[in-house]
């Protein structure tokens, strides 16, 4: 079931989303050669807690293998759900940071991928196109369109540049829980799927690969990598569909 949010609920969700966005900014300031991904995790957790919220990813999952950290950090061929640890960032890496916040029971979710120092022009293009595809999807997230219009806009943008969109992981509803219906694939057919309505709050999150779209789950049960070992990028915003368009909630 898709949970439609009232304006009052969106006000609360917006606060959580702004905190997710400012946490992400704080981390981007700290991304540099030599820092460990665990240090980034600590900075994020301290910042989120200091602002009266909880990191939404910490303790996420079912069974024994719950996610133990506050952010996902995915480097190079890692697509999503990378686990913070001792690994140090190196010049030429691309780093995706994904952050979820829970502020008074309302959730925000955002992600971005950035380079560490210099990367080559095709890798730079991968980052630009992934971000561009997110905004192409957001542009279609208006009343009267359907879910497939968002999915198709993302896929088309990506494939125009000969990159590929990951199939196994998708965007989602967000706000009252971290992950809600509907699932939002980053590929699809225009004019198909769920009708978009005022009060929907959606996390759009294209994951884009340099090579093939296929992925593999690592033995740690979380980290997703590209099957061909080539690089992958990820951008995410939480947005609300409003009476006259949409609002990007995870922008400051
Ligand atoms: Mg998400």
């Amino acid at each position: 079931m898709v949970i439609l949010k009232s304006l009052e609920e969106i006000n609360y969700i917006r606060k959580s989303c702004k905190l997710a966005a400012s946490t992400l900014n704080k981390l981007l300031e700290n991304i540099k050669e030599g820092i460990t991904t665990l240090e980034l995790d600590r900075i994020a957790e301290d910042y989120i807690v200091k602002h009266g919220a909880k990191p939404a990813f910490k303790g996420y999952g079912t069974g024994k293998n719950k996610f133990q950290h506050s952010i996902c950090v995915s480097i190079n061929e890692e697509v999503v759900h990378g686990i913070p640890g001792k690994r140090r960032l190196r010049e030429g890496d691309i780093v995706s940071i994904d952050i979820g916040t829970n502020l008074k029971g309302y959730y925000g979710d955002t992600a971005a991928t950035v380079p560490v120092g210099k990367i080559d022009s095709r890798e730079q293009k991968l980052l630009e196109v992934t971000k561009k595809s997110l905004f192409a999807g957001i542009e279609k997230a208006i009343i009267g369109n359907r879910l497939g219009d968002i999915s198709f806009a993302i896929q088309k943008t990506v494939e125009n540049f000969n990159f590929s969109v990951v199939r196994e992981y998708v965007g989602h509803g967000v706000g009252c829980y971290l992950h809600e219906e509907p699932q939002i694939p980053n590929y699809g057919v225009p004019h198909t799927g769920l009708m978009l309505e005022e009060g929907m709050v959606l996390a759009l999150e294209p994951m884009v690969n340099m090579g093939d779209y296929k992925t593999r789950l690592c033995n740690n049960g979380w980290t997703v990598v590209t099957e061909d070992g080539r690089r992958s990028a990820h951008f995410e915003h939480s947005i609300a569909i409003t009476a006259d368009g949409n609002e990007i909630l995870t922008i400051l």
Side-chain angles (χ1 to χ4, degrees):
M1 190 191 67
V2 175
I3 306 171
L4 297 179
K5 279 84 177 180
S6 66
L7 290 177
E8 196 189 352
E9 285 173 312
I10 290 173
N11 282 338
Y12 284 110
I13 297 166
R14 183 186 295 108
K15 287 187 182 134
S16 190
C17 285
K18 299 288 176 202
L19 177 59
S22 59
T23 309
L24 180 59
N25 275 357
K26 175 95 185 157
L27 290 188
L28 297 186
E29 284 167 16
N30 281 279
I31 292 224
K32 57 175 189 291
E33 191 171 30
I35 195 165
T36 69
T37 55
L38 194 59
E39 287 173 303
L40 292 172
D41 184 70
R42 293 279 152 76
I43 293 168
E45 181 164 330
D46 289 349
Y47 189 87
I48 291 168
V49 170
K50 195 177 84 186
H51 287 82
K54 291 180 208 161
F57 297 168
K58 198 166 188 172
Y60 189 84
T62 49
K64 283 184 184 161
N65 193 18
K66 290 191 171 48
F67 199 78
Q68 300 293 329
H69 295 86
S70 298
I71 58 171
C72 297
V73 189
S74 308
I75 303 172
N76 299 340
E77 78 285 0
E78 296 173 351
V79 178
V80 284
H81 306 162
I83 301 174
K86 290 178 187 161
R87 182 169 176 178
R88 290 181 192 280
L89 300 184
R90 296 171 61 174
E91 164 99 18
D93 284 340
I94 60 168
V95 188
S96 158
I97 307 275
D98 194 348
I99 297 174
T101 46
N102 168 358
L103 181 64
K104 298 181 179 142
Y106 293 92
Y107 290 81
D109 195 359
T110 188
T113 306
V114 292
V116 182
K118 274 206 185 97
I119 55 172
D120 78 29
S121 62
R122 186 68 182 154
E123 290 164 347
Q124 191 61 49
K125 197 61 157 178
L126 175 73
L127 304 191
E128 278 169 34
V129 168
T130 308
K131 190 172 187 179
K132 189 182 163 90
S133 74
L134 170 59
F135 280 88
I138 291 171
E139 205 171 288
K140 296 291 178 184
I142 52 173
I143 294 172
N145 277 349
R146 292 176 182 268
L147 220 48
D149 294 306
I150 297 176
S151 304
F152 178 72
I154 292 171
Q155 180 181 17
K156 186 163 160 275
T157 305
V158 168
E159 292 181 354
N160 275 347
F161 289 88
N162 290 318
F163 297 121
S164 64
V165 286
V166 169
R167 307 299 202 257
E168 292 99 329
Y169 302 88
V170 296
H172 51 94
V174 66
C176 298
Y177 303 90
L178 180 60
H179 294 125
E180 300 175 11
E181 287 180 38
Q183 293 200 349
I184 310 166
N186 294 303
Y187 64 99
V189 178
H191 316 305
T192 64
L194 188 72
M195 280 288 272
L196 302 178
E197 288 179 62
E198 184 179 355
M200 286 181 176
V201 179
L202 307 174
L204 305 186
E205 50 175 323
M207 290 144 260
V208 176
N209 296 352
M210 297 264 302
D212 194 86
Y213 63 76
K214 291 198 194 83
T215 63
R216 180 173 63 79
L217 181 64
C218 293
N219 290 335
N220 64 25
W222 285 103
T223 311
V224 177
V225 294
T226 58
E227 205 177 83
D228 62 13
R230 298 183 69 193
R231 292 183 167 197
S232 184
H234 177 213
F235 281 82
E236 177 175 26
H237 276 307
S238 301
I239 65 162
I241 299 183
T242 58
D244 58 357
N246 63 52
E247 179 187 344
I248 302 176
L249 301 172
T250 44
I251 264 181
L252 293 176

